[in-house]
Amino acid sequence: MGKAQLSIQNLQVEYHTDEEVIHAVNGISLDLEEGESLGLVGETGAGKTTLALSILGLLPKPNGRIVDGSIFFEGKELSKTSEEEMRQIRGNRISMIFQDPMTSLNPIFPVGEQIAEALEVHFSLTKEQAEKKTAELLELVGIPRNRMGEYPHQFSGGMKQRVVIAMALACNPKLLLADEPTTALDVTIQAQVLRMIRDLKRRMRTTLILISHDLGVVAQICNTVAIMYAGKIMEYGKIEDVFRNPLHPYTEGLFASIPRLDRTQRRLSSIPGLIPDPSNLPTGCVFHPRCPYRMGVCEKTVPPLVEWEGRKVHCLKYREG
Amino acid sequence: MLRYLFHRILQLIPVILGVTLIVFTLTYIAPGDPARLLLPQDASDEDVAQLKHAMGLDRSFFVQYYHFLFGYDGPGDSFDYKGLFALDLGRSYVSNRPVFGTILERFPNTVLLSTVALCLSILVSIPFGIISATRQYSKIDMVVTVLALVGISMPAFWLGMLLIWIFSVQLKLFPSLAVPSNPLSIVLPALTLAAMSTAVQTRMTRSSMLEVLRQDYIRTARAKGLDERVVIRKHALRNALIPVVTVVGIQVGQLLVGAVLTETVFSYPGIGTIMVDAINRKDTPQILASVVFMALIFALVNLIVDILYAFIDPRIKAQYVQAGIRKKRGLFHAISRKTTP
């Protein structure tokens, strides 16, 4: 593989509380090349947002910490970078679109000011220049420039998400982390926002990590996909391959739970059981208690990462040789 | 905005009237006869009855309340007054000076003391609240939290006496009697008065700040690459201050109440000592005037606080404006409904 722009090696993130240790991310390795777009799919609580926050160095303090592994971005080890240097990277080289547009904007500042802020921090712009750029950004996301001075409460949910996107794009980031950018929006707005992200990505050649629990959304935008479960990647490969022929039993279960129009189904099939308690993960393969193909070894052996048909998969069903 | 202001001022009228009724009733039913207190010990019952008649105190409760509001014109001239609406409640039974005159003369002293205490409490509580919140569970946070608890639990009169004992009696640093002309003498009463408000405001700032720091938009601000100090000062503080402003507003009222105790402890010539003296001597006009005056100040301060909100929080401003528009529209619809057949 060529030199990756973002390379995550065996990342482990834990949240420490007084009572317990929550294993949110348990040994994730990923390599992203420039311009690539990766979909990170998994149920709520699979560790997707935690992964994104660790890249930005914004894990909630003081509970969240990276206990092992490394994150390299453009050759720099992010988890060992000083706070001062991280600040230069945040919002500038790497930026993030947050899940809930309703709460992601500061209610007491005009949206224009909130966008301009990122520009003023990272580029030495005069007030007029920053204002001009802000107006351009707003128009880019389809908001008339005369609404720059309005406050978040004067915008609808979809409009707020556009503002959040404009904010994330302000400094032409090299890597964009989009955490469920459309979950809080209704379907028509979802489509608009997704189209916008795709266009912008194409225009700016930004690397994208799209976090979603919606396989459909990922399919529209991404070229690779990683299926996450209990803080681990179960399967990771090209989107066409994974969608056409899911290898991992969990991926299979996920696809089976999507309602299909071309088949008669009385009720939606679901994966039996619940996502495991992250403070008390099962031994061996984390998915084994819910796996329909469970074997004896699954309880004891942690499945290694196997390259199988051009894809990486963590499952004892697939063994080399 | 102006419309809102107008509404709020109109709302003050029933509040003030309610206060006058309650205060008037309380002084009316309180034991003790001002006429008897005014006369020498050996005065006959007839003398007392005559004086009562001159003062208008032999009338029924409602007539007296009416006099209180709209003025009293008795048989003599010495007990006449023009009533509350003319801002004249007559003369003090004790000093024979116009009651509002005494209040207005002494009120600046109370304002001075309260202002010093308020500034002190704001200057101390907000920075410490922020430090405490940004370093939650650190040693400094523990110290601040404990001190705030002490401040809330300590009664003003006791703290005042404690300070006098330490700083006037033992260390001889500050005088124990406070007068407005001597800035040094105001230090102890101001500290006493500020203690409670400082404690309340510190706790409020801390909890409000902690709440705001957990918000998503703080994470967004950090994700933009802003300096942590900018995140705290610009993004967190202004949001956190919204509830603090309410508390400060309430504290201003508390300061007036606290002034009564503090001024008594330090024999400071403010409105609090006027009130306590008046109550001790059953100087009814002076009691009524002081309480009504304080109620008015309290209501005005609350009004100012409500207006301040609008400047801090644009959402509240928008509410005022929208409410105004809705009302206008409602009126328009009402008119158009009437005119269309």
Side-chain angles (χ1 to χ4, degrees), chain A residues 49 53 56 58 84 87 90-91 94 96 98 100 103-109 113-115 117-118 121-122 151 153 167, chain B residues 215-230 234-236 238-239 242 312-316 318 322:
Chain A
T49 304
L53 290 177
L56 271 181
L58 284 178
E84 181 55 44
R87 214 178 290 138
R90 266 181 226 140
I94 308 176
M96 183 155 173
F98 289 99
D100 188 354
T103 56
S104 295
L105 293 170
N106 195 329
I108 57 171
F109 294 113
E113 195 180 326
Q114 296 189 50
I115 297 171
E117 214 172 26
V121 176
H122 297 295
Y151 291 91
H153 66 85
M167 206 185 275
Chain B
Q215 298 295 316
D216 286 349
Y217 55 79
I218 296 301
R219 193 177 57 187
T220 310
R222 289 195 179 122
K224 268 187 249 178
L226 296 183
D227 191 286
E228 188 64 19
R229 275 166 300 180
V230 178
K234 187 175 169 192
H235 286 264
R238 231 180 102 183
N239 278 292
I242 297 168
I312 300 181
D313 191 341
R315 286 167 294 182
I316 295 173
Q322 273 163 12

Side-chain angles (χ1 to χ4, degrees), chain B residues 200-214:
Chain B
V200 173
Q201 284 158 214
T202 307
R203 281 161 63 121
M204 194 68 218
T205 310
R206 178 180 183 269
S207 63
S208 171
M209 196 73 185
L210 282 175
E211 174 71 35
V212 168
L213 285 174
R214 271 198 295 271

Side-chain angles (χ1 to χ4, degrees), chain B residues 175-180 185-186 189 266-269:
Chain B
S176 65
L177 282 181
V179 279
S185 74
I186 297 192
F266 291 91
S267 312
Y268 181 82

Side-chain angles (χ1 to χ4, degrees), chain B residues 20 22-32 282-284 287-288:
Chain B
T20 61
I22 292 168
V23 175
F24 187 83
T25 312
L26 283 176
T27 45
Y28 182 82
I29 59 176
K282 193 134 173 68
D283 189 352
T284 318
I287 298 173
L288 289 173

